[in-house]
Amino acid sequence: MNRSLAGTRVLVLGGSSGIGLATARAAAAGGAKVTLASRSSEKVNAAVAQVGNDATGVSLDTTNDQALEAFFAQQPEWDHIVVSVAAGRSAGLHDLALQDAYGNMNAKFWTAYKTAKLARIAPAGSLTLVSGFLSQRPNKDALLQGCINAALESLGRGLALALSPVRVNTVSPGLIDTPIRASLPADKKKAMLEHAAATLPARRVGQAEDVADAILMLMTNPFTTGSTLFVDGGGMIS
Ligand SMILES: NC(=O)c1ccc[n+]([C@@H]2O[C@H](COP(=O)([O-])OP(=O)(O)OC[C@H]3O[C@@H](n4cnc5c(N)ncnc54)[C@H](OP(=O)(O)O)[C@@H]3O)[C@@H](O)[C@H]2O)c1
């Protein structure tokens, strides 16, 4: 059984930033030929320049069904696919417009579902989804995000049966310091991260590389499928 990524074709949707970018970098360092995709061509080009091992990039909005279908139709079989596309702004029940709520579900949940349906993945390969620990610890100010994450974790388990022998797993991060909070005021973000570092059992804030490590393990461990792996500094038990 080949546990190496050397020479494999790896696709990272949402690979231009944060957890996806760290995963793309780690996979390329392990010898994979990485393709990363996201909406912004500037972000894609900047990411490709730092991934190495002849990585390539595609500007692709995964909420666009026709574009996603055309993309997968042109592509040969992948060895491993990682879906790390972020939803939009989180907010509580009364503060999130319905259209934004639908858009969030579309970007994060339906991207994963459509990828599973459209992509061709080698029988010895894998699909890894990225959810988030709000699936288990709901937060009233990010109510829908928790529901999307729970749906993804369920999807991952179901897909492990539906796509077998392709392995399908989900990684569920806790608070990770990535550009996802770029729009937060700096002092609010600093306070949030400091509070997490002071209270989490791991006594630190998560980094994108911490999650990328877990994703690489899920990609290469041949006996892991249908699993949800929490990389949350102990957030679940605190
Ligand atoms: N960071 C955390 O604390 C945390 C915690 C729990 C779960 N997560 C989950 O982890 C995943 C990755 O988050 P992150 O922190 O790495 O966020 P990030 O740094 O903001 O990266 C998100 C990526 O998604 C891409 N993207 C967004 N909408 C897209 C679309 N419609 N089509 C294609 N690409 C799209 C973005 O690029 P473009 O803007 O160019 O499209 C970017 O590459 C997300 O699902 C997030 O919910 C993160």
Side-chain angles (χ1 to χ4, degrees):
M1 190 59 77
N2 186 6
R3 291 170 195 262
S4 164
L5 288 178
T8 58
R9 292 188 81 233
V10 171
L11 172 66
V12 185
L13 296 175
S16 70
S17 176
I19 293 166
L21 176 55
T23 303
R25 267 204 228 101
K33 293 287 170 218
V34 175
T35 299
L36 60 89
S38 82
R39 294 165 299 181
S40 154
S41 52
E42 293 92 79
K43 280 163 74 173
V44 166
N45 292 339
V48 163
Q50 48 173 298
V51 166
N53 201 30
D54 296 327
T56 54
V58 183
S59 173
L60 179 67
D61 182 346
T62 60
T63 65
N64 180 331
D65 292 357
Q66 288 74 30
L68 195 65
E69 214 163 307
F71 170 74
F72 280 119
Q74 290 159 9
Q75 293 290 329
E77 200 172 66
W78 297 96
D79 293 297
H80 304 281
I81 298 182
V82 178
V83 183
S84 187
V85 169
R89 182 181 78 91
S90 292
L93 181 63
H94 299 295
D95 298 322
L96 188 65
L98 260 188
Q99 282 313 312
D100 293 338
Y102 293 148
N104 284 349
M105 191 78 181
N106 201 6
K108 191 161 169 172
F109 176 79
W110 287 109
T111 289
Y113 186 97
K114 290 183 295 187
T115 297
K117 192 169 167 65
L118 296 170
R120 280 175 293 144
I121 305 177
S126 74
L127 171 63
T128 308
L129 313 180
V130 179
S131 60
F133 87 131
L134 291 174
S135 62
Q136 313 295 314
R137 299 214 37 188
N139 179 328
K140 69 179 175 50
D141 297 321
L143 182 69
L144 181 69
Q145 192 63 54
C147 301
I148 295 170
N149 292 340
L152 275 171
E153 290 167 14
S154 175
L155 178 69
R157 289 189 292 273
L159 287 175
L161 298 174
L163 297 183
S164 166
V166 172
R167 294 174 302 99
V168 185
N169 294 289
T170 306
V171 65
S172 190
L175 188 73
I176 311 295
D177 187 12
T178 71
I180 203 167
R181 291 182 190 82
S183 64
L184 269 190
D187 55 338
K188 203 169 168 194
K189 180 177 156 187
K190 185 166 177 280
M192 178 190 275
L193 297 180
E194 282 176 359
H195 175 75
T199 55
L200 284 172
R203 291 289 187 270
R204 68 192 279 276
V205 171
Q207 301 299 317
E209 290 71 22
D210 301 328
V211 185
D213 277 355
I215 292 174
L216 255 66
M217 187 284 284
L218 293 172
M219 287 161 74
T220 55
N221 184 308
F223 201 52
T224 308
T225 192
S227 293
T228 300
L229 177 55
F230 290 89
V231 184
D232 66 351
M236 193 85 68
I237 52 165
S238 64

